[in-house]
Amino acid sequence: MAHRIAVLSQKGGTGKTTTVRTLADAFRRGGLRVLVVDLDPQGNLSDYFDVPPDATPTIAEVLTGRAEASAAIHDGIVPANLQLAEAELALAGKMGRELTLRKVLRGADDDVDVVLLDCPPNLGLLTVNALVAATHALIACEAQYFALQGVEQALQVIELAKDGLNPDLEFLGAVVTKADLRTVHSREAVVALREAHPGKIFDAVIRQSIAYAESSERGVSILDHRPALGADYLDLAGEIAAALGEASAKRRLGTLAKAARA
């Protein structure tokens, strides 16, 4: 089975969707086959990958049993739109609702190495489904003091999913995003996160830049739009690849990060 990574955050605006998009690009350049699943009804990730808004089927049809997951893959992504909010409501009244995503993804990832599950910016039913379907969990958090509380809340949900429904779930760690390391506040927030969760905050820190908004608007990866900035994500992807035991991908990603900074 592929490595399934649920990427979550306690709230919006943490750079979570950008993290999923850029990790997918980085892993592919590192030689890994990647499938992305958009679980956010806003569909921002699907838009970032330039999926047509009327693309069908989507993850909503998959979760409600109207389509197979394999039929909903559009150029490497299972997209989402506002219909997913209706699908979530429909799931809420069903027995075993937390297991739905794991069941419908069965077999859909046989030909890939990594599945990235982009959770909505809350800790509700869709996020729980992602954690139950996942092998690993990754938290995205901003370089600010409120991130401490957000990480704690996300960790509680991860533990609940692990204890009750998915005992094999592993916590990969948290990545600090939107960091303006020129400011004392950001630097102190990173230190506080590392002290609160020793060994669980990735070394790679994602710097804040307007270039991310520009790349999103153009539907272009930051790795191409601003390679030197995108090297932060190549570093992160290398750390994750190492944690997953993908040694050759880690080496490739390290080489790419050095070239991007040259």
Side-chain angles (χ1 to χ4, degrees):
M1 186 176 77
H3 306 293
R4 294 178 178 174
I5 304 174
V7 185
L8 63 151
S9 62
Q10 185 268 344
K11 65 180 184 66
T14 62
K16 170 186 59 63
T17 294
T18 297
T19 295
V20 174
R21 163 66 198 261
T22 315
L23 281 177
D25 294 334
F27 284 145
R28 285 167 179 157
R29 296 179 193 203
L32 297 174
R33 299 166 298 171
V34 181
L35 172 65
V36 180
V37 181
D38 191 351
L39 290 169
D40 187 346
Q42 296 179 65
N44 291 334
L45 181 65
S46 303
D47 185 56
Y48 205 163
F49 275 103
D50 206 22
V51 178
D54 59 350
T56 187
T58 68
I59 190 61
E61 284 85 3
V62 174
L63 289 173
T64 52
R66 290 176 286 160
E68 296 291 329
S70 57
I73 300 173
H74 302 260
D75 197 22
I77 177 174
V78 180
N81 55 34
L82 286 174
Q83 291 182 358
L84 181 54
E86 298 177 11
E88 183 178 17
L89 289 174
L91 286 180
K94 292 186 176 182
M95 292 288 291
R97 54 189 175 270
E98 300 90 351
L99 305 172
T100 306
L101 183 63
R102 183 164 71 183
K103 291 177 180 177
V104 298
L105 286 182
R106 194 170 293 147
D109 57 0
D110 288 344
D111 296 325
V112 300
D113 302 303
V114 177
V115 179
L116 294 172
L117 305 167
D118 183 31
C119 301
N122 59 60
L123 304 176
L125 181 57
L126 289 171
T127 296
V128 172
N129 260 266
L131 291 171
V132 174
T135 57
H136 299 82
L138 170 67
I139 297 173
C141 59
E142 289 182 86
Q144 59 169 276
Y145 283 116
F146 288 120
L148 286 167
Q149 182 181 9
V151 170
E152 289 292 345
Q153 291 172 343
L155 283 171
Q156 290 174 13
V157 174
I158 291 170
E159 284 303 313
L160 286 172
K162 183 173 182 176
D163 290 344
L165 296 161
N166 187 6
D168 296 325
L169 179 66
E170 296 183 27
F171 176 47
L172 275 177
V175 55
V176 180
T177 63
K178 294 188 172 183
D180 185 352
L181 298 178
R182 298 168 299 180
T183 68
V184 173
H185 179 78
S186 280
R187 295 197 300 271
E188 290 183 345
V190 173
V191 171
L193 281 164
R194 296 194 192 287
E195 290 178 347
H197 304 284
K200 290 299 183 181
I201 308 298
F202 284 103
D203 291 336
V205 174
I206 310 303
R207 290 168 289 171
Q208 185 179 45
S209 173
I210 191 63
Y212 284 105
E214 295 170 353
S215 68
S216 176
E217 182 181 359
R218 299 174 187 180
V220 176
S221 172
I222 195 70
L223 302 182
D224 297 315
H225 182 61
R226 285 277 300 277
L229 187 65
D232 295 348
Y233 273 113
L234 291 170
D235 289 338
L236 174 64
E239 288 188 69
I240 294 173
L244 298 176
E246 298 287 352
S248 59
K250 178 185 182 299
R251 288 192 296 271
R252 291 192 193 100
L253 288 161
T255 301
L256 290 170
K258 288 180 182 178
R261 290 191 170 96

